Amino acid sequence: MSVKLDAYDRALLAEIQRDARLPQSELGERAHLSTAAVNRRLRLLSEAGVIEGYSARLNPKALGYGLTVITEVMVENERSDLLDALQKSFNACPQVQQCYYVAGECDFVLVFLVRDMEQYVALTRALFQDSGNVKAFKTLVAMDRVKTGMGVPVEMG
């Protein structure tokens, strides 16, 4: 995707990443654009796929998810249909916050938010052991959430 972004687009993107609830009039003031121009640019950025969606950041602990687990998964067979099935199961699991298909010593890296270790163990059985295509997995338990987020750097130029 090669969308040509100017300084106004980048300013809008930076502001909505900080707070997507800002009214378009406020976005316009911050980016030095009219409300109509903000509306048009945001629509074009959405249509071009630069803006994928809007969401709220929730505190996992406030919802009972006090444990973050990073898991490296090694597959038995890299046949595309088997990889697709694994990816589909990872996508369907609400406790999987992030999933990356990677090159290197493992095939997938997953980030889980779980209530406790018991829930994680149940998920490993369902997602890994029952799949028939996971050779091994390695579990890393996060001791603290130092930095989380999905913000993308919006650099000028």
Side-chain angles (χ1 to χ4, degrees), residues 15 22 105 136 138 144 152-153 157:
E15 291 298 333
L22 285 175
E105 293 183 28
K138 179 177 168 183
D144 193 11
V152 177

Side-chain angles (χ1 to χ4, degrees), residues 87-97 111-113 123 127:
Q87 289 180 30
K88 185 176 179 181
S89 71
F90 299 156
N91 270 318
C93 180
Q95 288 80 17
V96 174
Q97 298 303 294
V111 178
F112 287 88
L113 283 179
L123 288 169
L127 294 172

Side-chain angles (χ1 to χ4, degrees), residues 101-115:
Y101 180 45
V102 298
E105 293 183 28
C106 65
D107 299 295
F108 291 96
V109 175
L110 306 173
V111 178
F112 287 88
L113 283 179
V114 292
R115 295 188 184 284

Side-chain angles (χ1 to χ4, degrees), residues 1-10 13 40-41 44-45 48-50 154-157:
M1 172 184 334
S2 62
V3 176
K4 185 75 172 156
L5 302 176
D6 64 17
Y8 295 111
D9 293 327
R10 292 179 187 284
L13 292 170
R40 180 178 52 79
R41 284 173 180 269
L44 291 171
L45 291 166
V50 175
V154 183
E155 300 164 352
M156 299 300 174

Side-chain angles (χ1 to χ4, degrees), residues 28-45:
E29 287 178 28
R30 293 181 184 194
H32 307 291
L33 292 167
S34 70
T35 303
V38 169
N39 183 291
R40 180 178 52 79
R41 284 173 180 269
L42 290 177
R43 182 177 39 78
L44 291 171
L45 291 166

Side-chain angles (χ1 to χ4, degrees), residues 65-97:
Y65 293 94
L67 192 58
T68 301
V69 180
I70 299 96
T71 308
E72 297 177 352
V73 178
M74 282 78 42
V75 299
E76 192 73 46
N77 187 317
E78 293 192 50
R79 246 181 36 212
S80 61
D81 61 323
L82 297 174
L83 290 176
D84 290 346
L86 271 178
Q87 289 180 30
K88 185 176 179 181
S89 71
F90 299 156
N91 270 318
C93 180
Q95 288 80 17
V96 174
Q97 298 303 294

